[in-house]
Amino acid sequence: MLHRVNLASCLVLWITSCAITLAVDPNDYMARALQLMSETPLIDGHNDLPWQLRSQFNNQLNKVDLNTLANTHTNIPKIKDGRLGAQFWAAYVPCDTQYKDAVRQTLEQIDVIHRMCQKYPEIFMFASSSQDILKAFNMNKTASLIGVEGGHSLDSSLGTLRTMYQLGVRYLTLTHSCNTPWVDNWLVDTGSEPSEHNGLSSFGKQVIAEMNRLGMLIDLAHVSEEVMNQVLTLSKAPVIFSHSSAYAVCPHKRNVPDDVLRRVNETKGIVMVNFYNDYVTCSNTAKLSDVADHFDHIKKVAGADIIGFGGDYDGVPRVPEGLEDVSKVPNLVAELLRRGWTDEEVKAALGNNLLRVMSEVEKVRDSMSNEIPDDVPIPNEDVQNPCRTSFGYPSTTGSNGSAQSLSTLAWTNKLCY
């Protein structure tokens, strides 16, 4: 008799379970997604809208209305629909500026991000700390942070790094798609470019230490795998990948291998998943579900505590079906819930992971507050080129102690290209 009761009870439970499953539809997942996004800020690691402002308008922000701008992945209505709680805006300039005017152009990108916040104060709040992000979220504004995308923007100067930090820059992507005089980029791993430093040079290691001292996030998107591992060993603070996906899902060298994912877990960092089709499926086409596969894989290999969102909107020509612009991100959150992600796991990926990493970077900064700035310059022989003078180095004076001659400078300038 007892056996029959248990069998009947199991049947009732099975039928009830089926009924509940049938009752759940995509709109329920979406409602749950929007609820979670109202409780935890969606923090995106990388958006190139500032570059669109330069390329389309030469940074003449007075000629742009972000409420009506239609030919970008990002505008104010899309930001509102996408529930964007915080955004790292990329201060990016191309590798072509290296050894030329990279610093000036990067400063102009930093300037346009500040001006964007000033022009739309009801939408954006400039942020430079983890607490600022939460403050902006509580005010129903999008916290706006700056990340400089590419070490070439420093012109191999620790003084420039410190100045950019003072201007509000909170992460530096160590390279873009070019080697700098102190670090190798991801193309080295494809064989299309030679390694120049076997990862980081001695000066590159100085940059890492100084970023730790300042409290600047170290971004390993775009670097070679050797650099990833060197920095994970050297850095006292957790690192980020601001816009990179999982190599095991799409074997593109811009993505993160499983062994590195595990090291990111061990060092409490974060990998913010990129939406660019080429990094999602290694092809021209992709769907929202393909992006969710990267989230699932990273969670399986290294846990939900290292995952974030790094869309790369307005910096790429192709994005997945279902993630056509910033407004569509809630669709991805709903898909993760549909796949069985818990509320806590989703909230971790939305913003709690990045807040934790940023808070830890700030703690490391505070613990190093008594250390003096590093003012040892990069060796002159590592940066000599026709567009760079050498004042301050021994070569700037002749045997009689006189400064580098004006005629020599004029000759150098003629060669600058």
Side-chain angles (χ1 to χ4, degrees), residues 120-190:
Y120 304 97
E122 71 285 0
I123 304 299
F124 303 119
M125 187 190 107
F126 188 78
S128 60
S129 69
S130 55
Q131 287 303 309
D132 283 350
I133 293 174
L134 294 173
K135 180 180 178 181
F137 185 65
N138 289 331
M139 295 170 65
N140 199 30
K141 296 183 180 183
T142 298
S144 295
L145 303 100
I146 302 176
V148 167
E149 188 181 16
H152 60 283
S153 288
L154 302 183
D155 196 19
S156 301
S157 165
L158 294 175
T160 300
L161 174 71
R162 289 187 285 269
T163 299
M164 289 182 175
Y165 183 85
Q166 292 299 321
L167 292 173
V169 174
R170 286 302 177 266
Y171 78 61
L172 172 70
T173 314
L174 298 185
T175 66
H176 191 252
S177 296
C178 53
N179 292 341
T180 76
W182 47 273
V183 63
D184 289 338
N185 82 100
W186 67 276
L187 289 169
V188 167
D189 292 338
T190 70

Side-chain angles (χ1 to χ4, degrees), residues 253-356:
K253 293 299 183 180
R254 268 285 281 106
N255 289 336
V256 189
D258 282 358
D259 61 324
V260 175
L261 291 176
R262 285 186 278 267
R263 291 200 66 190
V264 173
N265 170 275
E266 292 165 5
T267 53
K268 309 302 182 185
I270 186 172
V271 175
M272 308 180 86
V273 175
N274 193 312
F275 298 172
Y276 181 35
N277 291 356
D278 297 45
Y279 305 159
V280 172
T281 60
C282 291
S283 70
N284 289 339
T285 61
K287 302 185 296 295
L288 178 150
S289 60
D290 297 315
V291 178
D293 290 344
H294 285 264
F295 278 79
D296 279 346
H297 180 81
I298 295 171
K299 176 185 166 186
K300 178 181 177 182
V301 170
D305 289 339
I306 75 156
I307 303 172
F309 292 72
D312 209 358
Y313 282 119
D314 284 308
V316 295
R318 295 176 290 277
V319 289
E321 179 184 344
L323 287 170
E324 289 84 0
D325 57 52
V326 173
S327 72
K328 307 297 184 182
V329 177
N331 295 338
L332 178 56
V333 180
E335 172 65 12
L336 296 180
L337 291 169
R338 189 190 69 78
R339 291 181 177 214
W341 284 52
T342 68
D343 289 1
E344 288 307 307
E345 288 172 338
V346 168
K347 291 169 81 170
L350 281 172
N352 287 341
N353 289 340
L354 190 281
L355 288 169
R356 170 185 52 77

Side-chain angles (χ1 to χ4, degrees), residues 98-99 156 180-182 196-197 201-204 206 377-385 388 393:
Q98 184 163 215
Y99 310 122
S156 301
T180 76
W182 47 273
E196 296 180 26
H197 314 291
S201 72
S202 294
F203 183 78
Q206 289 178 246
I378 191 169
N380 190 37
E381 58 269 23
D382 290 352
V383 289
Q384 282 182 326
N385 64 77
R388 187 185 181 104
Y393 291 97

Side-chain angles (χ1 to χ4, degrees), residues 23-51:
V24 175
D25 61 40
N27 290 330
D28 293 320
Y29 293 122
M30 179 59 74
R32 192 168 144 208
L34 294 177
Q35 178 61 38
L36 294 176
M37 296 175 84
S38 73
E39 299 168 359
T40 304
L42 164 64
I43 305 174
D44 185 272
H46 195 87
N47 185 299
D48 279 293
L49 178 62
W51 179 250

